[in-house]
Amino acid sequence: PTSAAAIMSLWSHVEQAPPDPILGVGVAYNNDPAEKKVNLGIGAYRDDTGKPWVLGCVKHAEQKILKDTEDGKLNKEYLPVQGLQAFLDVTSAVILGKDSPLIKEKKVAIVQSLSGTGALRIAAEFLSIYKPGVPVYVSDPTWGNHHQIFKKAGLQTHSYRYLTKDMKLDIDGMLADLKAAPEGSVFIFHTVAHNPTGVDPTPDQWKTIADLCEAKKAIPVFDTAYQGYASGDLDKDAFSVRYFAHERGFELFVTQSYSKNFGLYGERIGALNVVCKDPAVATKVTSQLGLIIRAMVSNPPLHGARIVSTVISDPELYKQWDTELKLMANRIISMRQDLVDALKEIDCPTPAPIYKDWSHITSQIGMFAYTGLQAKHVDILMNKWHIYCTKNGRFSMAGLNAHNVNYVAEAMKDALVTAGPADV
């Protein structure tokens, strides 16, 4: 007879992991049989018919890549651990500027990564090796994965205040919390289009934040998920990074993701840039980043890097990319206004009495709107109206379009009238 020990798994003690709060929204939406439903959870662009969009510049780049492959000019061999050289040659200029003296002087260590998440994970591992035990400070709220990424590298994360109750930047609370951090701490900043709030510091506020970082000898890490997608202007969206790197001379980390601004969500293409004061140091940092990548994923994937480098290197395709970026950004901006107009048209109450109106939605920027709705309102949106978003009331504005914006506004009014104002 088979003994109990023989049939018991070594992993019986493993507990079921909780569902991801963001990805779980998409699962619930897909499982809902309702004919009329809206997905405001996924952080991916949709056109005005609610469909995913493959950028025209990407299609043209893939046609060129296919032709070069058929002609024997390209193959599918492994990449070096640092990534595709053609990609490494162009990506830093997107975030730091094509005339960046840091690039010209070879003071930037640059490696390809599995989008922005992978870049953060490489940075976290590097910090855990060369600044063991360094405390890491992230905004409250922030992208949910920030804490997990740095904790997986053995680092402790802490939060700094970021948002007031009426959806404005809590600059005083932010500065006070960062000032209280130990000297030499790591400060995680969102380069542009803060996730989940869409609330960014002004240029003058960034300068004040830089003053504090300098006084605290902090290590800034800029997480860049929405460059160009936020305002439609790649240069404008890079202000914070370029100010810290060029005007203030910080050594810093800056991630890049080409998921949103190229629509390459599934290609997992991004980069990690480490700005150093000395080119010899940058060379050594690059070599150590390569060792980290080798142990993690051996080497990065090829196709997404080819797409991005092809577009950026071709003047006509780059111009097309710039045009399509503006189209995406402007659609999101217009949907913010359309939602606010729809809410005003039906006299929808604000989330709580501290809000004078719904203008916080139009003052925010980027993929998401932090509406001020809470879990009790979201439950009504999901269960009665089949509108799906995260429990904190974060809407992916790309999920709105001319065909559903009035429906969403009606549902928001019903949720607020039924459940009452938010608890603030």
Side-chain angles (χ1 to χ4, degrees):
T2 305
S3 67
I7 61 173
M8 181 175 289
S9 170
L10 287 172
W11 316 119
S12 297
H13 62 289
V14 175
E15 297 181 359
Q16 180 71 30
D20 184 281
I22 297 175
L23 299 181
V25 173
V27 173
Y29 171 84
N30 291 332
N31 291 336
D32 186 342
E35 184 174 333
K36 187 161 191 177
K37 57 183 181 177
V38 182
N39 186 356
L40 301 180
I42 188 66
Y45 183 78
R46 297 290 183 265
D47 64 18
D48 200 48
T49 66
K51 301 296 184 184
W53 184 43
V54 179
L55 273 62
C57 65
V58 169
K59 292 179 180 178
H60 288 136
E62 289 191 310
Q63 290 167 0
K64 185 176 187 302
I65 291 167
L66 177 60
K67 183 178 186 305
D68 287 347
T69 303
E70 290 176 338
D71 292 345
K73 297 177 182 178
L74 297 176
N75 55 49
K76 297 291 186 179
E77 294 292 295
Y78 290 122
L79 287 180
V81 290
Q82 281 92 0
L84 180 68
Q85 192 58 51
F87 172 77
L88 300 175
D89 287 342
V90 297
T91 186
S92 295
V94 175
I95 187 64
L96 292 172
K98 64 178 186 291
D99 297 321
S100 170
L102 295 168
I103 298 174
K104 293 177 180 178
E105 295 165 12
K106 301 186 183 302
K107 293 180 178 179
V108 184
I110 169 69
V111 292
Q112 185 181 327
S113 64
L114 297 178
S115 201
T117 304
L120 285 169
R121 186 65 180 85
I122 296 165
E125 194 69 21
F126 183 88
L127 286 164
S128 73
I129 296 169
Y130 294 100
K131 291 286 183 182
V134 65
V136 178
Y137 284 77
V138 298
S139 63
D140 179 18
T142 192
W143 179 50
N145 221 9
H146 276 152
H147 288 280
Q148 296 303 320
I149 289 168
F150 286 89
K151 286 178 179 177
K152 288 293 185 184
L155 299 173
Q156 292 296 312
T157 60
H158 311 269
S159 294
Y160 59 85
R161 283 171 283 176
Y162 193 79
L163 200 66
T164 63
K165 291 180 178 180
D166 58 348
M167 300 295 171
K168 295 180 174 61
L169 181 68
D170 185 1
I171 186 64
D172 293 334
M174 178 183 184
L175 293 172
D177 289 347
L178 295 180
K179 186 176 181 180
E183 188 173 284
S185 295
V186 172
F187 294 164
I188 308 296
F189 299 126
H190 300 229
T191 301
V192 69
H194 182 273
N195 179 5
T197 71
V199 176
D200 288 348
T202 65
D204 284 342
Q205 287 171 332
W206 274 122
K207 293 173 184 179
T208 302
I209 294 166
D211 290 340
L212 188 143
C213 289
E214 185 175 323
K216 298 295 296 186
K217 297 181 172 60
I219 304 170
V221 176
F222 283 91
D223 189 13
T224 314
Y226 301 100
Q227 186 191 0
Y229 185 99
S231 71
D233 186 325
L234 288 161
D235 295 324
K236 180 180 179 181
D237 289 352
F239 170 82
S240 59
V241 168
R242 294 182 188 180
Y243 177 75
F244 271 67
H246 295 140
E247 303 298 322
R248 302 300 294 268
F250 280 93
E251 291 189 296
L252 54 81
F253 295 78
V254 55
T255 72
Q256 292 176 274
S257 167
Y258 290 102
S259 294
K260 273 70 173 183
N261 58 13
F262 260 90
L264 296 175
Y265 306 97
E267 299 295 351
R268 311 312 296 144
I269 175 62
L272 174 65
N273 302 265
V274 186
V275 175
C276 305
K277 290 185 181 295
D278 184 281
V281 172
T283 299
K284 289 186 281 189
V285 169
T286 301
S287 71
Q288 293 297 332
L289 295 174
L291 291 182
I292 292 170
I293 293 167
R294 177 64 171 157
M296 279 186 178
V297 297
S298 188
N299 54 352
L302 175 60
H303 191 61
R306 274 190 176 151
I307 294 171
V308 172
S309 60
T310 299
V311 171
I312 294 176
S313 302
D314 184 302
E316 287 302 312
L317 291 182
Y318 187 95
K319 183 178 179 181
Q320 183 178 6
W321 178 44
D322 186 64
T323 299
E324 291 174 328
L325 264 177
K326 287 179 171 60
L327 187 154
M328 289 191 291
N330 289 338
R331 196 185 90 73
I332 299 302
I333 292 168
S334 69
M335 290 318 305
R336 289 181 182 277
Q337 188 63 56
D338 288 353
L339 178 59
V340 170
D341 290 346
L343 292 167
K344 184 178 179 180
E345 179 71 22
I346 60 175
D347 293 320
C348 179
T350 59
I354 61 171
Y355 297 85
K356 63 177 182 178
D357 52 33
W358 286 95
S359 61
H360 59 283
I361 289 179
T362 49
S363 66
Q364 296 166 9
I365 192 170
M367 176 78 77
F368 302 111
Y370 217 46
T371 61
L373 301 182
Q374 295 179 334
K376 62 183 180 180
H377 307 114
V378 172
D379 287 341
I380 294 172
L381 294 182
M382 292 176 64
N383 297 325
K384 180 177 178 180
W385 294 83
H386 309 279
I387 296 171
Y388 291 83
C389 66
T390 52
K391 291 289 188 179
N392 60 7
R394 187 197 78 168
F395 284 9
S396 174
M397 296 306 293
L400 288 176
N401 55 58
H403 310 288
N404 63 24
V405 65
N406 291 323
Y407 177 77
V408 171
E410 291 172 13
M412 292 171 68
K413 180 177 181 179
D414 178 56
L416 284 161
V417 171
T418 303
D423 304 313
V424 295

